[in-house]
Amino acid sequence: MIRWKILSVSSSHVTSPLPHPRICKRSFAIRNGTGNASRRRKSLPPPTNLEQQLKNVTRQSELVQDLRGLKGNNPDDRQRCLELFEQIQNSSFRTKENILNPLHAACIRCALIDEAQEIYEAIKIHGEPDVITFTAMANGLTKAGRIDEGVKVMNEMNAAGISPNIITINSRLQLLREMKDVDQARELFASLSNTHFEPNGYTYTTFIRIECESGDLPIAKDMVDQLHKSQSNFFPHASGALLDGYIHHKQIDKAIELFTTMRQSFNPNEENWGNLIGALAKADRFDDVQHYISEMINAGHNLNVIVTGAIMDGQVSNKRFQEAVDYFHQLKDNNMVSDVHYNLAFKALCYLDRPTDVEDFFRDMRRDPVHPPDGYTWSALLNYYKKHKQWKKIIDWYPTIRAEGYLTHFIRTTILLAFETSGQSEKMMDLITDWEIDGELPLSSIAIMMKHFLKVNDTEAAFQLFRSLKVPDHQPDGAFWMLLMDLHLEKEIDSRITELIISGMSRLGGTPNAKAWSHLISKFLDRKNYETASKWFDRMVKSDVKIDEYAFALKSRIDYQLKGVKDLSELLNAIEMNFSNIPTIVWSSLLKEAKSETDLVTLEKMMKRRNKKWKLSSPPLDRLILQFGKFRNLSGAKRIFAEIPVKFMTSHTLNAIIGACILNENVDDAVSYYLTDSYRHLTGVNQVEFILKKLVENSKFNDAVVFLDGLRLRKYEIPLSSVKQLMDVLSKKSSREAKELFVHLQREYPGLNQEGKSNDQLST
């Protein structure tokens, strides 16, 4: 990084009055090599101070104009800004405030925060920073996540007696947002009514985002409603922020309701449309996605790569992998793909588990100069190899990944795991040493080394490695604490593991986060050790960690097992005090824990009574269907399934009723549900594999083949691995029926060779 040279102002830098225009003209001619002066260039005397000053004035104007033209929205602007920074740093302009100010603003716009900070210090020496400079510096530091430095700049502005403007107020609000200081933000916003400052769109938007991120959506909604009633020009910005808040908290129905109100007042921008459509895709509501895409186009907006990327992300998140791949090829044919689409399609192929397609797609990306693999792609590939325990391929790719600069924390950890699993302990230590020199030794890699030492019974080495951790270089995250919790469970007889956790809490960050605590408690619940789980929950409460929805769900399971279903009221009342409605995860956990059908019915009534505005699309209903199936009450499962409108069903709902049928040995009904046309959008390969497996286990070979023929007739996706397993079973049967079915399958699936090495799936 270039160090800014701080120089004091000398007398030679004092400017004199501007020269006569006629002299300016001659100076310009000499500088540009025009007129008679250019013919006598070698005999010209050195330029006078006056002529040099004129050159500087012209150059200053050019520099200022150049700097103001840098908007910072592309890499070229950033590179040009760095070049100008270096030029000015090595010139006499480095002490001129009228150059430093626009240079500082350009560096902020181009996100060159270190350079901007050096200029800021130079301005403080060679002039006086104004409100714009202070505000821009604080805002730039805040956006860069350097909160403490942003606060320091704000304090310096106060100490200098500089009066703020509304932009400064906005920067302070943004700073408080990053600090998650809701109380101070509310106090600052309320104080505006006693000043001459008028909040603008950015002020409202920032404050609403603060309220949304803190979970106080009603406060944000009241403010947006007031702006709507007063027909404020700021309503579009504010409502967009509230829309993002609803989406973040997965309140999709409220988001749709707000979006309808927005459309009645103005035409939402493409970002609003894209955010809503992406949220609907994430929620697996693809009928609504299609509807809003049509509405978006009718409203005059184009279907851009951001929206289509959000749709693909929703398809992958909801395990609609084949749909995601098909959609990618459709977009690619229309030249509407970006790196995001390539990565999502590749991720979908990895989940579809088609090795040939995965390798071919990745090879094509390696050859593509426009969409080559990036860190996301490499992570997906290594994760795929890791899933299939192809450690050698991971090790072989390591030099290429390192050369191309994609050694993310996840990739480093996966590579280290590959060497550890392959028994190459010495190479592991070499990697740790190299990464330590690079200053990029992720905590997860240290965790793998600790686990390796414990696996080979070198407990002392594990302890030494743990004690070598430094703060803040190795601030433990949730995953690391979870590893320590797991080690505690694996080696409960070793009290030193407990000592390790407790000492780590005090030395490396005080306490594990809520996720790590919940992870440990869930492990004890899995072991049905409810008393111990209860003690650890009490300890979690005493640690001042915020109890989230998942932790309350675990607590509900503990209380149900220790107290019974009738004594849950106290806990449920406490949960209602923390949330406006009892979270669905709490109900799902209780239903999963139900000991009898009687308790299940009691929980169903309790759930519907307490949740007045019960949404039929909620996951607990899926769990309820499956639990009725487990208690051999198929009619109860079918009753709940029939209560849910098709538009609110998800693939999990169909999974639940199919699972309930299978548990009650009613495979025929499972097949019937799967082949119902109105549920087709909920179907997937996993369900086919599950049904075929149960048909084979029950020796219903003819039904299995009829099921496959029905899938082919309706053009469903068929997993060839399941077909191969069925053929293997049939080939070992001596009956005439088995032989006929085997021949039939050979004829219908000619691409499936005898060894079953085909990795493709039949998809039409």
Side-chain angles (χ1 to χ4, degrees):
M1 182 180 66
I2 302 170
R3 302 303 304 168
W4 188 267
K5 296 179 181 177
I6 305 298
L7 302 178
S8 59
V9 181
S10 63
S11 59
S12 62
H13 291 98
V14 178
T15 58
S16 57
L18 285 175
H20 192 275
R22 185 161 51 88
I23 303 176
C24 283
K25 184 175 181 181
R26 171 168 173 74
S27 175
F28 181 82
I30 293 173
R31 184 177 65 252
N32 289 279
T34 59
N36 295 331
S38 63
R39 300 192 187 110
R40 304 188 304 271
R41 183 176 302 277
K42 293 183 180 179
S43 60
L44 277 175
T48 64
N49 288 338
L50 190 59
E51 290 171 343
Q52 188 64 47
Q53 183 186 15
L54 287 172
K55 292 180 183 179
N56 289 346
V57 169
T58 306
R59 179 60 181 142
Q60 277 185 219
S61 177
E62 292 172 352
L63 277 174
V64 170
Q65 187 175 1
D66 204 354
L67 290 167
R68 288 175 178 169
L70 299 175
K71 304 303 180 185
N73 52 6
N74 61 69
D76 292 340
D77 280 5
R78 183 182 174 90
Q79 183 59 37
R80 178 60 179 157
C81 190
L82 281 170
E83 292 172 358
L84 292 176
F85 174 85
E86 186 174 359
Q87 289 177 20
I88 293 171
Q89 188 261 350
N90 292 319
S91 72
S92 61
F93 295 138
R94 61 182 176 271
T95 61
K96 294 186 180 295
E97 194 174 358
N98 56 345
I99 291 291
L100 294 179
N101 283 328
L103 177 60
H104 180 263
C107 287
I108 293 291
R109 290 195 299 272
C110 295
L112 300 171
I113 305 303
D114 289 336
E115 288 76 6
Q117 209 165 17
E118 292 188 36
I119 302 166
Y120 170 72
E121 296 297 332
I123 292 174
K124 288 197 294 184
I125 291 176
H126 301 295
E128 293 183 358
D130 56 14
V131 64
I132 297 174
T133 305
F134 277 119
T135 302
M137 190 70 256
N139 200 28
L141 289 166
T142 302
K143 288 182 178 179
R146 295 157 65 167
I147 308 302
D148 293 341
E149 295 172 83
V151 171
K152 180 182 177 183
V153 171
M154 282 293 181
N155 292 337
E156 289 176 357
M157 178 178 170
N158 291 336
I162 302 293
S163 299
N165 56 23
I166 190 60
I167 299 176
T168 313
I169 300 296
N170 292 341
S171 294
R172 287 184 179 178
L173 274 176
Q174 183 62 33
L175 193 62
L176 293 170
R177 177 189 174 191
E178 297 293 335
M179 296 168 65
K180 302 186 186 303
D181 194 334
V182 182
D183 293 334
Q184 279 202 48
R186 288 173 179 167
E187 184 179 340
L188 175 60
F189 187 82
S191 69
L192 293 179
S193 59
N194 300 323
T195 67
H196 64 281
F197 296 120
E198 287 291 335
N200 57 24
Y202 190 84
T203 316
Y204 284 112
T205 300
T206 306
F207 185 69
I208 287 171
R209 291 193 188 282
I210 291 172
E211 295 292 358
C212 289
E213 289 166 6
S214 68
D216 290 318
L217 293 170
I219 295 177
K221 183 180 183 301
D222 289 343
M223 179 174 290
V224 172
D225 288 344
Q226 291 174 12
L227 293 173
H228 184 222
K229 290 177 183 178
S230 63
Q231 298 183 345
S232 169
N233 293 332
F234 305 136
F235 174 66
H237 301 285
S239 58
L242 180 57
L243 180 72
D244 293 343
Y246 281 140
I247 290 171
H248 175 74
H249 290 280
K250 299 181 181 179
Q251 298 184 14
I252 307 301
D253 291 331
K254 288 186 177 180
I256 292 175
E257 182 181 343
L258 172 62
F259 194 75
T260 303
T261 304
M262 292 166 64
R263 293 188 67 189
Q264 292 169 353
S265 302
F266 64 95
N267 185 7
N269 58 33
E270 289 188 359
E271 182 181 357
N272 299 145
W273 284 98
N275 290 345
L276 179 63
I277 291 172
L280 290 168
K282 276 278 190 181
D284 204 10
R285 294 170 61 166
F286 282 92
D287 288 341
D288 289 333
V289 168
Q290 292 298 329
H291 168 72
Y292 279 99
I293 286 176
S294 300
E295 292 291 305
M296 177 183 177
I297 294 173
N298 292 336
H301 296 292
N302 295 321
L303 191 63
N304 56 44
V305 293
I306 297 176
V307 177
T308 55
I311 294 171
M312 277 191 69
D313 188 32
Q315 290 170 329
V316 173
S317 299
N318 290 287
K319 300 183 179 180
R320 296 170 173 257
F321 304 125
Q322 186 58 49
E323 289 182 26
V325 174
D326 293 342
Y327 190 46
F328 167 78
H329 288 297
Q330 179 186 342
L331 294 171
K332 187 179 179 183
D333 292 341
N334 291 279
N335 294 320
M336 291 180 61
V337 290
S338 65
D339 290 345
V340 172
H341 298 85
Y342 270 88
N343 283 325
L344 287 169
F346 184 67
K347 184 177 181 180
L349 286 173
C350 290
Y351 277 114
L352 284 171
D353 204 4
R354 303 174 179 173
T356 303
D357 288 350
V358 169
E359 298 288 354
D360 290 347
F361 193 93
F362 186 75
R363 184 178 60 250
D364 291 342
M365 286 188 71
R366 292 278 295 167
R367 295 171 178 172
D368 190 340
V370 181
H371 302 291
D374 56 16
Y376 186 98
T377 325
W378 282 110
S379 296
L381 180 68
L382 296 195
N383 192 48
Y384 178 77
Y385 289 151
K386 175 183 172 184
K387 175 184 174 183
H388 291 277
K389 303 186 185 306
Q390 295 177 324
W391 307 112
K392 186 178 184 304
K393 287 189 176 182
I394 295 176
I395 293 171
D396 291 344
W397 274 118
Y398 171 62
T400 303
I401 297 172
R402 183 180 180 87
E404 295 184 5
Y406 290 118
L407 282 177
T408 63
H409 280 196
F410 171 80
I411 290 176
R412 289 175 190 267
T413 302
T414 306
I415 291 169
L416 194 65
L417 184 63
F419 281 109
E420 194 270 338
T421 309
S422 302
Q424 302 184 38
S425 303
E426 293 182 1
K427 185 62 178 176
M428 289 173 65
M429 296 308 299
D430 292 341
L431 291 178
I432 290 290
T433 304
D434 290 344
W435 296 346
E436 214 166 11
I437 294 172
D438 294 343
E440 290 288 341
L441 182 58
L443 192 67
S444 50
S445 297
I446 296 175
I448 288 177
M449 289 299 298
M450 286 180 60
K451 202 162 188 177
H452 168 72
F453 287 136
L454 288 167
K455 187 166 73 173
V456 298
N457 294 320
D458 194 349
T459 311
E460 191 59 41
F463 288 156
Q464 288 179 0
L465 186 58
F466 179 78
R467 294 189 184 103
S468 70
L469 300 182
K470 303 185 295 294
V471 177
D473 294 349
H474 299 120
Q475 189 72 31
D477 56 4
F480 186 78
W481 285 118
M482 277 190 259
L483 170 74
L484 290 182
M485 301 299 191
D486 283 341
L487 295 179
H488 172 71
L489 293 169
E490 290 173 9
K491 294 182 175 288
E492 288 178 285
I493 55 172
D494 191 344
S495 61
R496 295 177 65 189
I497 299 292
T498 304
E499 175 192 342
L500 187 71
I501 297 174
I502 303 304
S503 66
M505 289 179 188
S506 59
R507 186 171 67 85
L508 287 174
T511 179
N513 59 12
K515 189 175 181 181
W517 281 113
S518 297
H519 178 75
L520 178 65
I521 295 167
S522 67
K523 290 290 186 180
F524 285 115
L525 284 175
D526 292 342
R527 297 180 178 199
K528 302 188 184 305
N529 194 339
Y530 303 110
E531 293 285 354
T532 306
S534 181
K535 292 178 181 178
W536 277 96
F537 184 86
D538 293 340
R539 187 166 187 171
M540 175 184 180
V541 174
K542 293 177 182 178
S543 71
D544 293 331
V545 171
K546 182 179 179 181
I547 310 299
D548 58 10
E549 295 180 2
Y550 182 62
F552 271 121
L554 296 175
K555 177 61 174 172
S556 66
R557 291 173 60 189
I558 295 170
D559 282 11
Y560 170 74
Q561 291 293 344
L562 295 178
K563 301 177 182 178
V565 70
K566 295 182 179 179
D567 291 330
L568 288 174
S569 297
E570 182 180 351
L571 174 64
L572 295 177
N573 290 336
I575 295 175
E576 282 182 326
M577 291 179 63
N578 285 272
F579 304 94
S580 58
N581 217 351
I582 295 179
T584 58
I585 189 175
V586 174
W587 293 120
S588 296
S589 299
L590 283 171
L591 293 169
K592 183 179 180 181
E593 205 75 15
K595 300 176 184 177
S596 65
E597 186 179 344
T598 304
D599 282 2
L600 192 65
V601 173
T602 303
L603 286 170
E604 179 191 358
K605 293 177 181 178
M606 190 184 299
M607 179 172 68
K608 293 183 176 178
R609 184 178 68 250
R610 280 183 174 265
N611 289 53
K612 305 290 186 183
K613 299 179 181 179
W614 185 255
K615 300 298 181 185
L616 292 175
S617 58
S618 297
L621 294 183
D622 303 338
R623 171 57 62 181
L624 191 59
I625 293 169
L626 192 58
Q627 289 298 98
F628 272 121
K630 287 184 177 180
F631 288 116
R632 297 295 188 268
N633 186 347
L634 185 56
S635 60
K638 290 182 176 180
R639 173 179 61 82
I640 299 297
F641 184 81
E643 290 178 2
I644 307 174
V646 175
K647 67 176 182 178
F648 288 143
M649 290 183 179
T650 67
S651 59
H652 304 295
T653 313
L654 185 61
N655 288 345
I657 191 62
I658 289 175
C661 292
I662 297 293
L663 287 168
N664 286 269
E665 300 179 359
N666 194 333
V667 186
D668 293 340
D669 281 0
V671 172
S672 177
Y673 277 116
Y674 188 85
L675 294 178
T676 301
D677 290 337
S678 56
Y679 306 145
R680 175 162 184 168
H681 64 290
L682 307 173
T683 58
V685 175
N686 295 337
Q687 296 156 340
V688 177
E689 293 174 339
F690 187 39
I691 293 173
L692 283 174
K693 180 181 177 182
K694 291 301 176 181
L695 287 170
V696 171
E697 287 177 357
N698 295 327
S699 299
K700 294 186 176 183
F701 305 121
N702 187 67
D703 290 345
V705 174
V706 171
F707 178 50
L708 287 172
D709 289 345
L711 295 177
R712 284 178 62 85
L713 184 63
R714 292 170 173 81
K715 299 182 179 179
Y716 280 74
E717 188 176 352
I718 300 173
L720 292 185
S721 57
S722 296
V723 179
K724 179 62 175 64
Q725 290 172 4
L726 176 58
M727 292 176 67
D728 288 342
V729 174
L730 291 173
S731 66
K732 298 174 183 177
K733 300 292 180 181
S734 58
S735 67
R736 179 178 177 182
E737 180 192 33
K739 291 180 179 179
E740 289 176 351
L741 292 174
F742 182 81
V743 172
H744 173 75
L745 291 175
Q746 275 190 323
R747 183 173 61 252
E748 294 296 332
Y749 303 94
L752 192 63
N753 60 34
Q754 191 173 359
E755 289 76 20
K757 293 182 180 178
S758 174
N759 297 304
D760 297 327
Q761 286 172 300
L762 182 65
S763 177
T764 57

